[in-house]
Amino acid sequence: MSHDTLGTDGDTLGTDGRRPDPMSPDAEAAVETRRRLYQVNDPLKMSGARVLYELPTSPEFLFHEEALRTHRSASDNLTFYTGIGFCAGTLAGGALGACRGVGAAERGETAKLRVNRALNECGSTGRKAGNRLALLGFLFAGTESAMRSLRQGKDDWVNTVSGAASAGAVYGLPAGLRAMAVHGLAGGVLAGACVAGKPLLRKFAPDFAARLEYFS
């Protein structure tokens, strides 16, 4: 008699550490119990503010087979993490650059000059930060997908930590072996902290954790 275990992201794993067959009845039952899907022909029977805030925790899928997928494909990962990294880096870097531009203002300057300096700093810093985080996201998506492929489809914390460490090492490689080791170690530690913190997030903020599952 076989016993199933839970992966790091809450999905059911078999005794061999692999995901169940997406087309099997067990996999369909697991998805139905873990996710609340949108029903096109059966609208949510709620009223008032609940319609806006108590939404299903999974994205809307056109086909049921898409809801059974346990992870994104390699091409989906490349697009997703690269885009997320660029957007996050641009917004954060732009905000930091705007603060620097405002802080560098001198007494007697016109408002036009201050706004121009803030906009220049915002664009310059945001562009650099966005490109760097987009590159990190691209490297992480590639190395994480490569680790999953090398491990014959196993999807657990090992892929995340090793992918982040490899991405950091490749990112720091142009600066030398020391920078490569430092960046690789930092990437592995950050990924390990994120993986270790997911159970705590599910315990104290289950609704927020359910919505973050889409980004993992």
Side-chain angles (χ1 to χ4, degrees):
M1 180 177 180
S2 61
H3 296 278
D4 293 337
T5 58
L6 291 178
T8 56
D9 56 357
D11 290 338
T12 303
L13 302 178
T15 54
D16 57 352
R18 299 183 184 179
R19 305 285 181 182
D21 184 5
M23 301 306 296
S24 65
D26 294 338
E28 294 185 7
V31 169
E32 292 298 334
T33 56
R34 186 172 61 87
R35 296 181 176 180
R36 292 177 293 155
L37 301 179
Y38 286 102
Q39 300 295 333
V40 178
N41 298 324
D42 185 17
L44 298 174
K45 297 181 177 60
M46 292 184 289
S47 61
R50 296 183 62 190
V51 177
L52 298 176
Y53 297 105
E54 295 190 10
L55 296 177
T57 56
S58 68
E60 184 176 1
F61 298 100
L62 182 60
F63 301 104
H64 185 64
E65 291 78 7
E66 296 178 352
L68 298 177
R69 294 172 56 183
T70 57
H71 55 76
R72 287 181 292 268
S73 63
S75 58
D76 291 341
N77 265 348
L78 288 175
T79 305
F80 181 79
Y81 286 115
T82 303
I84 288 292
F86 180 79
C87 292
T90 301
L91 292 176
L96 179 61
C99 293
R100 289 178 178 176
V102 173
E106 298 179 359
R107 180 177 299 179
E109 291 182 344
T110 63
K112 182 178 180 180
L113 183 60
R114 294 183 180 183
V115 171
N116 184 62
R117 179 186 293 108
L119 292 177
N120 288 338
E121 286 289 337
C122 178
S124 176
T125 307
R127 182 176 63 253
K128 292 178 181 178
N131 290 337
R132 290 176 180 176
L133 284 186
L135 177 58
L136 283 174
F138 179 85
L139 293 175
F140 172 74
T143 52
E144 196 261 349
S145 298
M147 285 300 302
R148 184 188 298 116
S149 178
L150 290 175
R151 302 181 68 228
Q152 300 180 352
K154 291 184 178 180
D155 189 15
D156 52 20
W157 64 270
V158 177
N159 297 340
T160 303
V161 175
S162 58
S166 301
V170 174
Y171 181 81
L173 181 60
L177 295 179
R178 182 177 180 180
M180 175 182 173
V182 172
H183 284 79
L185 180 61
V189 170
L190 288 176
C194 292
V195 171
K198 290 179 70 174
L200 296 177
L201 191 61
R202 290 195 189 97
K203 180 178 180 181
F204 296 104
D207 292 338
F208 181 68
R211 283 161 174 78
L212 284 182
E213 288 293 336
Y214 181 70
F215 295 94
S216 59

